[in-house]
Amino acid sequence: MRRRAADYRRPVRRRLSYWICLLLAFSFILATVLFIIQHNHHQDPLQYSLLERNARVEHFAKESLNFTEEILSVTSFSRQLAQQMILAKAYVVIAKEHNNLHLAWQLSSKIRSCQLLLSKAAMTGEPVTLEEAEPIIKSLTALIFKAQDIHYDIATTIVTMKSHIQALEERANAATVQSAVFGQLAAEALPKSLHCLNVKLVTDWLKVPSLRELSHERKNSPRLTDNNLYHFCLFSDNVLATSVVINSTVCNADHPKQLVFHIVTNGINYGAMQAWFLSNDFKGATVEVQNIEEFHWLNASYSPVVKQLHNPDSRTFYFGLYHDVNAEPKIRNPKYLYLLNHLRFYIPEIYPQLEKVVFLDDDLVVQKDLTPLFSLDLHGNVNGAVETCLEAFHRYYKYLNFSSSIISSRFDPQACAWAFGMNVFDLVAWRKTNVTARYHYWQEQNADRTLWKLGTLPPALLSFYGLTEPLDRRWHVLGLGYDLNIDNRLIESAAVIHFNGNMKPWLKVAIGRYKPLWDKYINQSLPHLQNCVLS
């Protein structure tokens, strides 16, 4: 008996439905990724302040909906709407290509209704209800079946769905790059309030002769080289950040008068640093400020980094415009070639009479007494640091190019990385093993940036390989400059909390949850701060 034409169409429909469902799954995954990026990373960090202001009223409002979880839930109407909307968009394109403008208009109208409903749920924090979703789901389902009944061929549908997937990938990549660029710009910018503070402090340094006289008197203090005291070093151009580090350290020390802080800054900020630390008392602790421009031994003939600074190609790469849109912005951050950032490799030469120091970054806060670090047994090692390889990411192969034989032949790719920012250095052991020479060697090998791409940590991992003593994790907790979900118990137990990342506590894009931990060590009654920072 002759089969009807409709009977021949059923297998085709079944195959078409199978491919549509398969491609729909891929499309939905990519759409979800894009949604998360746009609602988290795209607003991160420039829109964090607005989000956090909104969060402050949640104590008198009911708990809001986590829309990301809602749209991923297999039982939610939001997910059903999103799935049907993606498929409907594909049929809109196909309908237009076949000149079926009426069907395209019907689908587009329902897609807009679907978008409005999802937007409302995201804005109000309330889930989509059955009463709201059912009419749209039924209408879209009917239109999708109508589109299938018109017998668009399976090849056309597959090609269209693939093009949608590609478009979603491109939008996701563009959103990620844009978020990274904006975040980098925000992190590199100096707030007007801090610029104002610097100007006022430099004015004091130039107009008040007694400050310069006091500075001259303290230059030869025997405390600066007394190895019976506790010595800390910081290399920074940020007055307020450096002040917070020192103030938090002395406030939590059992014997603050036994602390000595050695600061090195650049020529532009030298006067401001001197004026600030000479005008303020830090519980009797000694504070020394030096100008890096007076380190005449740190020149191109000695230091590979200084040599790179004079190299036109390096200057173009780090200080030029972002010509390559595909290059990760943070890789080209000029701070990675900033000489102050590399002074940590010259500590024994800057302080030739010291035997042990604790190095501190300027973006951290000290919460406990750090003097016990000086009595830790490093077992003959040079560097005491907290390891960061609790997850696979923080291992050597993630920082270094192991396709290079010079790396793969000398180092274990699974070796555990460690944190730079709060480190105990045995300078006697450093000089004995000549770690600085190791650092010079690796910098010269990486002149073409093929062994690693950025930062001071990769050359440190190479230079201190086999010379690092792991410290208890509670000495140094990282991530407060990018991670919103650090456990409060971990923060409370930490001796040092580190705001590594783009969202520094002195910037408007700082994470509001952590900012009070930094703010409490600023003396807000000081006139310059009232005139500049607080206004």
Side-chain angles (χ1 to χ4, degrees), residues 196-197 200-201 204 276 526-534:
C196 166
L197 178 63
K200 290 184 177 295
L201 289 172
D204 289 349
W276 179 270
L526 297 174
H528 287 338
L529 284 177
Q530 289 182 337
N531 295 335
C532 291
V533 178
L534 300 182

Side-chain angles (χ1 to χ4, degrees), residues 347-449:
I347 293 174
E349 291 160 284
I350 300 172
Y351 312 108
Q353 294 175 284
L354 297 184
E355 297 175 354
K356 185 173 282 190
V357 300
V358 170
F359 166 75
L360 300 173
D361 258 339
D362 64 358
D363 56 349
L364 53 80
V365 170
V366 177
Q367 300 186 129
K368 300 186 186 304
D369 185 15
L370 296 186
T371 55
L373 286 170
F374 291 84
S375 58
L376 289 178
D377 186 359
L378 298 183
H379 300 99
N381 288 309
V382 177
N383 172 31
V386 171
E387 292 185 328
T388 55
C389 60
L390 296 176
E391 300 175 5
F393 179 79
H394 298 287
R395 295 190 181 274
Y396 270 48
Y397 74 91
K398 287 292 185 178
Y399 296 95
L400 302 164
N401 179 15
F402 274 85
S403 64
S404 170
S405 60
I406 195 173
I407 296 292
S408 60
S409 63
R410 303 190 190 188
F411 302 96
D412 177 7
Q414 294 296 330
C416 190
W418 42 268
F420 231 153
M422 196 291 297
N423 305 80
V424 190
F425 290 124
D426 183 336
L427 301 185
V428 176
W430 184 317
R431 296 182 186 103
K432 184 178 179 179
T433 53
N434 204 353
V435 174
T436 302
R438 292 189 183 190
Y439 163 71
H440 283 174
Y441 171 79
W442 288 114
Q443 283 289 357
E444 289 167 352
Q445 294 298 314
N446 193 47
D448 56 359
R449 296 183 294 275

